[in-house]
């Protein structure tokens, strides 16, 4: 299943990231095969995931952004048992390792704000063993190419990728896919 998800990213590189009820409704019928869920709480996440799965979507839940979930392995257990999520997104290696152990697809989210965070990326990714690395902001083609040189997993560019030119630049710089909350970009 993990290889299939990566292939889906390569075949349809625009990933709809949802952060509100409005974007959720649009994601149900958008062309994106993969949806990143960036909002919700322990009471709503089951319904959010169920409805997206009913629409035929692959669903990745950002466990760090779900209200009411702690930064503990039990959060991963909850998502695995209570939802039909295909995987998780997190900036926390411990959660990603736990998700891998439970057979979930994993996306390690990195906020590259300076050279220290860049140089820490390979070590963190080595610890998490994530299937994909997500780089924010994704509108930095030179940095994306640097990341491509130091990791051996596919790259998703996210954050500030808000028009067709930035999408194309990120893909040319080595990203296999783009994740964006900008609903206009979903239509490209």
């Amino acid at each position: 299943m993990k290889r299939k998800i990566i292939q889906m990213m390569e075949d349809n590189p625009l990933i709809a990231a949802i952060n509100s009820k409005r974007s959720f409704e649009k994601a149900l019928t958008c062309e994106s095969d993969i949806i990143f869920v960036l909002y919700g709480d322990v009471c709503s996440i089951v319904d959010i995931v169920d409805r997206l799965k009913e629409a035929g979507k692959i669903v990745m839940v950002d466990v760090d952004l779900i209200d009411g979930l702690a930064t503990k392995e039990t959060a991963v257990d909850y998502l695995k048992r209570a939802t039909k999520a295909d995987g998780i997104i997190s900036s926390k290696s411990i959660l990603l390792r736990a998700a891998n152990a439970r057979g979930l697809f994993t996306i390690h989210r990195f906020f590259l704000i300076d050279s220290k965070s860049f140089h820490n990326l390979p070590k963190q990714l080595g610890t998490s063993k994530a299937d994909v690395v997500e780089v924010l902001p994704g509108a930095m083609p030179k940095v994306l190419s640097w990341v491509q040189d130091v990791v051996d997993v596919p790259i998703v560019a996210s954050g500030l990728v808000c028009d067709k030119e930035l999408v194309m630049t990120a893909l040319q710089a080595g990203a296999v896919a783009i994740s964006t909350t900008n609903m206009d970009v979903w239509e490209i």
Side-chain angles (χ1 to χ4, degrees):
M1 180 61 159
K2 291 184 177 199
R3 180 67 208 141
K4 179 183 174 191
I5 293 171
I6 292 170
Q7 186 64 52
M8 290 174 76
M9 288 179 178
E10 292 170 352
D11 292 345
N12 187 1
L14 283 174
I15 298 170
I18 60 173
N19 61 2
S20 67
K21 182 73 170 162
R22 183 172 159 256
S23 60
F24 164 75
E25 293 297 335
K26 184 163 185 171
L28 291 170
T29 59
C30 77
E31 294 294 320
S32 295
D33 297 322
I34 301 171
I35 308 297
F36 286 5
V37 178
L38 310 180
Y39 84 108
D41 57 45
V42 293
C43 296
S44 65
I45 194 63
V46 173
D47 185 52
I48 291 169
V49 173
D50 280 351
R51 290 200 48 214
L52 289 166
K53 294 300 289 181
E54 288 168 8
K57 306 299 184 178
I58 297 292
V59 181
M60 304 293 161
V61 176
D62 191 324
V63 68
D64 301 341
L65 299 178
I66 304 303
D67 290 339
L69 293 181
T71 308
K72 298 184 189 269
E73 289 185 28
T74 55
V76 174
D77 288 335
Y78 171 76
L79 288 174
K80 174 78 175 171
R81 291 178 186 158
T83 77
K84 297 174 185 160
D86 298 285
I88 71 160
I89 304 164
S90 181
S91 61
K92 297 167 179 65
S93 295
I94 191 167
L95 297 179
L96 294 160
R97 278 194 324 263
N100 267 326
R102 288 150 181 85
L104 293 168
F105 191 86
T106 53
I107 300 171
H108 200 147
R109 177 174 267 195
F110 284 97
F111 296 93
L112 294 181
I113 58 171
D114 57 20
S115 60
K116 182 177 180 180
S117 61
F118 172 76
H119 292 298
N120 195 35
L121 190 152
K123 178 182 174 189
Q124 292 294 315
L125 191 58
T127 301
S128 73
K129 305 288 190 221
D131 299 302
V132 170
V133 61
E134 181 184 26
V135 176
L136 291 95
M140 304 181 304
K142 188 169 201 132
V143 174
L144 289 172
S145 68
W146 295 345
V147 170
Q148 186 176 34
D149 289 342
V150 299
V151 303
D152 60 356
V153 297
I155 300 166
V156 172
S158 300
L160 302 177
V161 182
C162 54
D163 62 30
K164 184 176 182 176
E165 179 183 352
L166 291 171
V167 167
M168 298 310 295
T169 301
L171 291 171
Q172 290 167 352
V176 297
I178 308 302
S179 169
T180 181
T181 58
N182 186 320
M183 291 183 279
D184 292 334
V185 175
W186 298 357
E187 307 287 325
I188 293 177

